[in-house]
Every structure is written in structure tokens, then in C-alpha cells.
Amino acid sequence: KKKSTECLTFSFSWHSASAIVTNSQQLQETSSMTFAPETPLKQSKPALSGSTKLTYGILFIGIAIGIGKIVGGYAAPELEPNLGGKVALVTGASRGIGKGYALGLAEEGASLFLTATTIASAERTCKEALEIGATSCRAFACNNENDGEIEKLYKSIEKELIKKEMRLDIVVNNAFNTGETCKYAGKKFWDENKGEYAGHLFDIMTKVGLRSHYVSSVFAMRLMTKLAPTGDADRGLIVFTSSFGGLNYFVDVAYGVGKAAVDRMASDMAIETAIENITVASLWPGWVDTEQVRWEIAQGENGTFGKLKPGAGTTGEGTFEYLSSTVGTPIQETVLFNGRTLAAFAKDNKKGQFSGKVLPTSDLAAHYDVLDEKNWRTPGAFTTRWLVLMLFPALQEESKLPMVLKYVPDIPLCPTWLTKVFAGSPRFM
């Protein structure tokens, strides 16, 4: 590599030197020549056309807005006292992040509709939600692969809301099929699996968690616009659960494509829902302490994370070691931390400024000053607070966290926009 670099440097220097010599010779030849004096001509600058002026104007406004956002950031939150009187639907609420969302909304007094694959598992979450403050909670069994079942769910919700003279305020599209993730982790997309059709994995990763989110949002918009007053400044909130896999390669091709599509769907839907004053956003939970994650870690090299070798789901060595060493530590988010962050977002009268955006939980929690059940705010990856905790593990003790939260700033080591520039996709020429 050193030789090739030296060759490249030498080649560049040689070409540069040649150009300088040639230009010097031409200059000397020119200076030895004589020219007849000419009358100088005044050249008038061509007038800018109307379209050119408009283009420059738009460009200037765009730059000014960009600078304004960098300098001023987002508007300060304007939070309602709680979510009393608000109605929320959470899909996939039996465990994990979906359960965390339900409990976070419950703490703020929301009325809940929760779905799961079985009504019994949804009822268990409902029981917990009622114990911590939910105004009401009704459980549904819903197969999100089936459009008909999603439509039936919304019809049942509509009947109940009309009877109670209420409206649907919040829809959390969270359901996702994680059942067979471990089976395919570390494999290439063209690997054969006996008895499966070519698009089997793609359908697993996108039918529930992408297509189902789209179908649910169709019925959500119809119900929200039907029941919410037309002139209301905040007629509803629709969110999707996505992940960092939408930005860069993780686990497998189908997983990343599904998450990237969810993020794009939120962005495009927000354009169309803006006229209805309905906010749409994509949420990115971080490294979350869920039942599924703990089970996967316990499987060691046979689990999803254990199968992530360089070139097969991660960018380098030591991924499994890092993930397993941080389970249950302040580096990892709790499900309730995600739920409380969502609840704060839902309470914000200024949440429309985030419509169409990807919202990492750690960033959103910092904006709303959210703390988890241990009075801790999990830092985003690659921030100053995260780095301090990684370099000094002793500070991860629960008794020392208040000091870290107070004295160590949580500043991104790499700005989000820069992360996007160097992300895996899309790549332009």
C-alpha cells in the first residue's frame, strides 16, 4: 500500500510539475510578443431572467431555513398535563417495545385498545395498564397478516368510540413478526431453505411490520378524519416502530429493506396527512432490554446476535460481545423508557414539527426530558455520555447515574445528518 501511495503521489507531482513548466513557457512566449493597442469595450452584464431569480430566491430561502434549524433547533415542547380523554391503539402490545408503549401511555391516563396474536396475551398487558393509570383498556386478538382482521378491528373500535362520543387520537403501528428472525440471521438472501419459496423471508419481514402498518394507517386515517373536528389543530398521531436497520445493513437484506420502507412510508404519508393536521413519524428504539433480546443473547452463537459475523449482518468484530455485555446496563433502554418517550411526544402540542421524520428514542427523550423507571435517560450510541460509560464501567452503577446525568453532557460524537451521508444506502454516484 505504501508503494502504491508513493507512486500515486509521484505521478500527481510529476503531472503538476509538467503543467507548471508548460504554463511558464507559454507565459514567457506571450510576454515577448507585441500587440496593437485596442479600444477597451464595455461589456454589459446580462440581466437575470425571472426563472433564474426565482431559483436563486428559493435556494437562499432553503439555506436560511437550514441554518435556522441548525442554530435554533426545534421549538420547545408545549405539553398537555396528561393524556386523559385521549384514545390510543397499540398493535403488538403483548410484550417487548409494544408493551412498553402501552404502559407509557397508560401512566398518562390514556384509554387503550391493545392487540396481540391472542386475546389472552393482550389482556395481560391491559391488566397492568389499568393498574398504573389507564382510563380504560380493551384487548383484541388480531392477525396483522390479514387485511380483513385489521379492518374488523377498526370497525369494532369505531362502534365503541361513537357510542362513547370519543375519537381515535393515537395509533401505534408496532406489530412485527420476529418468530423466524433467528433462523435466517447470518445467511445470504439467496441461500436455499428446504420447502420454502424464494420470497419466504421477504414476506416474513414485510407482511407484518410494513404492509400491515400501511393497511392499519389507511383505516386509522379514515377514522381519525371522520371523528375529529375539521378545524382542530391536532387531529391525531400515527407512529411506526422502525430501527437503525433502515439506515444500514443489519441482520439480513429483507429486514433492512422493510425498515427503510417504513421510514420512507412515514415521510411520504406525512406529506399527504399534513392537510388534515395529523402527524406521522417513524420511531427508532435503541438497544432495548426485551424478553426477545435476552432470549437471543442466551442462545450465544446460535442466537440472532451470535450469528452476526463480519459481512453477515454487522460491520466488524466484537458485536455479540458488546451487545451481551451491555444487557441490563444503563447503556440499554428499557421498554418503559420507550413508552414514556412516546407518551411525551403524544402530549406535545408542537409535535407536528416532527411529522415525516425518523425519531430515535434517545433524541426524542432528550427533547422531552424523559427519564425511565430508574430516573435515568439512556444515551444514544456514539454520544459523549455513552462514551464515558463505556470507558469507565464503574460509572454504570445505579448510585452513580444521577451524577453522570447531571455532569456529563449527552453530545453526539457524530451528527445525525453526517451519519446519513455515510450510511449504507441509498448511495449516489
Side-chain angles (χ1 to χ4, degrees), residues 19-81:
I20 293 170
V21 171
T22 303
N23 290 336
S24 299
Q25 291 174 346
Q26 291 176 347
L27 185 61
Q28 290 174 3
E29 292 172 1
T30 304
S31 62
S32 63
M33 299 171 66
T34 56
F35 298 90
E38 294 183 2
T39 305
L41 297 175
K42 288 186 178 181
Q43 294 184 348
S44 59
K45 293 182 180 179
L48 295 177
S49 65
S51 59
T52 303
K53 288 180 180 178
L54 180 62
T55 302
Y56 280 131
I58 293 172
L59 186 61
F60 176 82
I61 292 170
I63 293 172
I65 291 173
I67 293 173
K69 285 185 176 180
I70 292 171
V71 175
Y74 291 104
E78 187 181 290
L79 302 183
E80 293 291 336

Side-chain angles (χ1 to χ4, degrees), residues 93 95-105 335-340:
R95 58 192 176 100
I97 296 170
K99 181 178 179 180
Y101 287 150
L103 297 182
L105 295 168
V335 295
L336 187 56
F337 177 66
N338 281 268
R340 287 179 174 178

